[in-house]
Amino acid sequence: MDFLEYLSVQHKIVLNPQQKQAVLTIDGATLLLAVPGSGKTTVIITRLGNMIFNHQIPPEHILNISFSRASARDMKSRFIRLFGPDPDDRVEIRTIHSFCLKVLKECYSADNKVVPKLIEDNFSRIKKLYVEQTKKYIGDEIIKEIIQKISYSTNMLLQPAQISEISVAGCDFKEIYKQYQEIKEKSGVIDFDDMLRIVYDLFKDRPDYLNRYQEQFRYINLDEAQDTSFLQHEIIRLLAQKYGNIFMVGDEDQSIYGFRAAFPKALLNFQQTYSNANVLKMERNYRSTKSIVNVANKFIKQNKERFDKDMFCENEEGTPINHLDLNDLSEQYSFIVNQIKSMSSDKNLAILYRNNDSAVPLVDTLERAGIHFSIRENTPTFFTHFVTNDILAYIKLAIDGSDIASFEKIYYKLNLGLSKKMLEFVKQNPKGNVFNTLVRFPGMEKTIISNIKSRQTDFENMGRMKPLDALRSIETKLGYTSILKGLAKQGYSFETLMQKLNTLKNIAAKTFDNKSFLERVGKLQEIMETYGINESKVTLSTVHSSKGLEFDIVILIDAIDGQFPSSESIRLKEEEEDASLYEEETRLFYVGITRARKELITVSSAKFYDQQIRMSRFIDNLKPRLVQQQTSYVQDTTGYKPYIRHTKDKATVEKEIRNYKVGTKISHNTFGVGVITSISGVTAEIMFNKSGYKRLDLKMCVKARIIINV
């Protein structure tokens, strides 16, 4: 019985021609491009069995690198299920970090050197440096961004001049990076990325050590190559350069971790890096219906930096992709409840989103509806973000005018010109309303006193408002949106900041008074800090965390420009600076839609409460079946029911047209960003950055929602 017959007879594994070629190719440099749902793990495991049992390659001569510890454990257990127990533990499947730690220990031991201690928690160290530099206390999100960019710098092997170009809003990243390196050096400790860099330098500087591991690992198998960093690829390249037996498995179309220094160009450059390299393709998708596969295959082809692949399947045609275009984005949560309750018990469903903040209103909705769910990658930094803390402080001060702690958090954001001395005066006189105390500050000017009394009235009125109205008042009357726009000029993402505010609006809309709003936010924080992955038919996940998973039904929410794709990726592409970020956003969307086995639904809207938004341009590329276009979901006494939303009425269109003047910057669904240069009646001449001059009918464009102010 030959090996392929053994797989078929003993394990009912029947490989298709492309899979067979991959399993039977053992020697030399091979890149295997595996589309979503193509049976990648099965091929990796069976090929490893072929190497060991059919070609008699000792397991200890094979270096198997997997992307995560979880996938390494899964692959090892699947290998044992197919080929029996491994009593001597000769088959090793490691992460690159685990391998490098092994190398570091062995080489340092040979040199009688002590392995530096690994930092278990670099978060507190970075946070301390941030606070010392800025004199500000800020939420976890910004600290995680700094840590991420430090890791990126190491994994991309950046030079000092390149590190100097990296920016993080609100701080001097270069200085924090420098101080962090100095602290580690003085303390004699390293982080996990340093460990990779040390091994890389060791292999370059010590040929004896490099040769030792080249001889030991004459065959290298690398999984998830598209998510492997530049530094990690360089370590693998050095190990493989002697014998050239490298089997790299990945898909550049699924590379979605550029912010972690993932380097998909290693796949594109594979044939230049390795001599006599062979590129194989596994293009058959076993996961999804034809309607999903065909659309996804066409969608990803808009990217330029990729191999030419044609994903196909032999499954049923299935339900066409549906797109739900709502009257208001807040209504998508009612639709989701309706969808879950009508779902058959033998199916599972995933709600996917671009940003973690999108999980908060979902949790709010599902918990209220009594629907059991599971959350992946549950990192609720939303509740520690300064926007959330600001809004809660405004509301607390509106409820209790004597709340000095809340006043201290926002006093400088009240547009009153208050100084720290005034704050200290209030803190030294802690009784009574803070505004009443403020007006007694020695030497206070009459105009400032008048402004303070007016602001006191604003807060007293807010205390009596419904929560959603109170938040709108904070946005407009108290000028908080203007504050966020000012922060955007300092490097913060305005869309990200507004998403925090919009998330709070969604919670506020479902509460009756400010006290219950505060209680609900606290309850949601408690739920999200304790919830995790569990057995459930409903999964909430970012698209990033959904990679490698599959679900019967996928609902991809918040499909709007500015979120998915991001504003920055759109800007860079349209201004022809750099299309790489936009291509990664495209790949991320592709990963999201290919998680679906049976049904795929995307959701967008024309607005979110008072904010005008635009459907993601990815939906245009996807060209789904718009069977529920302009449908909205509202709640009445009997539950949720659909109704048809009509196009904008004449008065609304005419009102919006008045916002468009010469010099107005607009964004068009097809032509991108441009500036109005002249207007005659309802006809505007617009100079687009990429498409040149166009003459458009403003009335038609506004009515059809194909242009917006930017």
Side-chain angles (χ1 to χ4, degrees), residues 18 76 132 144 197 213 257 305 350 379 410 520 526 564 600 611 634 650 704:
Q18 291 180 329
K76 181 65 181 285
E132 287 173 352
K144 289 182 177 179
R197 180 60 190 263
Y213 290 99
Y257 293 107
E305 293 291 311
T379 53
I410 58 172
R520 187 58 183 170
E526 180 185 330
F564 210 178
L600 172 63
Q611 182 185 355
V634 292
K650 183 178 179 181

Side-chain angles (χ1 to χ4, degrees), residues 20-85:
K20 286 179 184 178
Q21 187 179 10
V23 168
L24 298 178
T25 302
I26 302 301
D27 295 315
T30 300
L31 171 63
L32 177 62
L33 301 170
V35 304
S38 59
K40 171 178 69 79
T41 304
T42 297
V43 167
I44 292 172
I45 295 301
T46 53
R47 181 181 178 277
L48 181 58
N50 185 30
M51 294 173 73
I52 295 170
F53 300 109
N54 202 31
H55 290 263
Q56 286 75 50
I57 299 172
E60 52 270 24
H61 285 333
I62 306 171
L63 175 61
N64 301 291
I65 298 293
S66 185
F67 188 66
S68 67
R69 283 179 289 182
S71 63
R73 287 193 298 268
D74 176 61
M75 289 172 70
K76 181 65 181 285
S77 65
R78 289 179 67 170
F79 180 86
I80 291 171
R81 284 202 301 272
L82 283 179
F83 301 109

Side-chain angles (χ1 to χ4, degrees), residues 291-348:
S291 61
I292 294 171
V293 168
N294 292 342
V295 168
N297 182 56
K298 186 176 180 180
F299 174 81
I300 196 60
K301 286 180 180 288
Q302 68 183 290
N303 273 2
K304 308 300 181 189
E305 293 291 311
R306 63 185 298 272
F307 286 98
D308 183 26
K309 298 189 291 294
D310 276 303
M311 180 169 64
F312 70 95
C313 78
E314 296 179 5
N315 298 330
E316 63 182 1
E317 186 67 30
T319 305
I321 296 172
N322 289 336
H323 177 67
L324 189 67
D325 185 20
L326 294 168
N327 187 51
D328 191 293
L329 200 62
S330 63
E331 296 163 357
Q332 65 185 344
Y333 307 105
S334 304
F335 163 74
I336 287 167
V337 169
N338 195 53
Q339 190 75 15
I340 293 171
K341 288 186 175 180
S342 63
M343 181 177 70
S344 63
S345 59
D346 62 334
K347 290 185 177 180
N348 60 22

Side-chain angles (χ1 to χ4, degrees), residues 470-653:
L471 263 65
R472 284 171 168 157
S473 181
I474 293 168
E475 273 189 289
T476 55
K477 195 172 184 62
L478 273 64
Y480 195 72
T481 300
S482 297
I483 291 172
L484 297 186
K485 286 180 178 177
L487 289 171
K489 293 177 181 178
Q490 299 175 29
Y492 289 90
S493 165
F494 181 68
E495 286 75 17
T496 300
L497 299 179
M498 283 303 298
Q499 188 180 11
K500 314 286 180 189
L501 200 51
N502 288 336
T503 298
L504 288 165
K505 279 185 184 178
N506 200 287
I507 300 168
K510 299 174 186 175
T511 52
F512 300 103
D513 55 49
N514 288 322
K515 186 178 178 183
S516 64
F517 167 68
L518 294 176
E519 289 172 350
R520 187 58 183 170
V521 172
K523 175 67 173 177
L524 289 173
Q525 182 174 6
E526 180 185 330
I527 292 171
M528 294 193 69
E529 285 177 349
T530 56
Y531 237 89
I533 300 173
N534 54 66
E535 291 296 324
S536 174
K537 293 285 186 181
V538 178
T539 299
L540 315 184
S541 178
T542 61
V543 179
H544 279 104
S545 291
S546 73
K547 190 165 177 292
L549 304 177
E550 56 185 61
F551 307 92
D552 294 319
I553 304 168
V554 166
I555 304 176
L556 202 157
I557 66 168
D558 295 345
I560 58 174
D561 267 7
Q563 275 201 49
F564 210 178
S566 68
S567 293
E568 182 67 2
S569 71
I570 295 170
R571 183 189 69 80
L572 290 172
K573 182 175 184 288
E574 290 184 343
E575 294 179 5
E576 298 185 341
E577 288 185 32
D578 183 6
S580 61
L581 185 58
Y582 189 87
E583 289 215 351
E584 176 152 324
E585 290 281 302
T586 304
R587 295 193 295 266
L588 185 61
F589 196 86
Y590 172 74
V591 166
I593 63 179
T594 54
R595 299 309 94 198
R597 283 194 290 256
K598 303 291 185 183
E599 295 179 52
L600 172 63
I601 303 167
T602 56
V603 187
S604 70
S605 170
K607 64 177 182 176
F608 187 85
Y609 293 111
D610 302 323
Q611 182 185 355
Q612 188 179 11
I613 56 179
R614 193 175 73 186
M615 179 177 72
S616 168
R617 59 196 64 202
F618 286 161
I619 304 301
D620 288 334
N621 297 137
L622 208 61
K623 299 192 184 333
R625 183 179 69 169
L626 301 177
V627 293
Q628 292 175 301
Q629 187 178 26
Q630 298 184 336
T631 300
S632 185
Y633 282 76
V634 292
Q635 189 174 23
D636 63 8
T637 54
T638 61
Y640 295 99
K641 66 177 184 179
Y643 71 95
I644 298 299
R645 172 169 59 84
H646 299 289
T647 55
K648 294 177 182 177
D649 58 53
K650 183 178 179 181
T652 301
V653 171

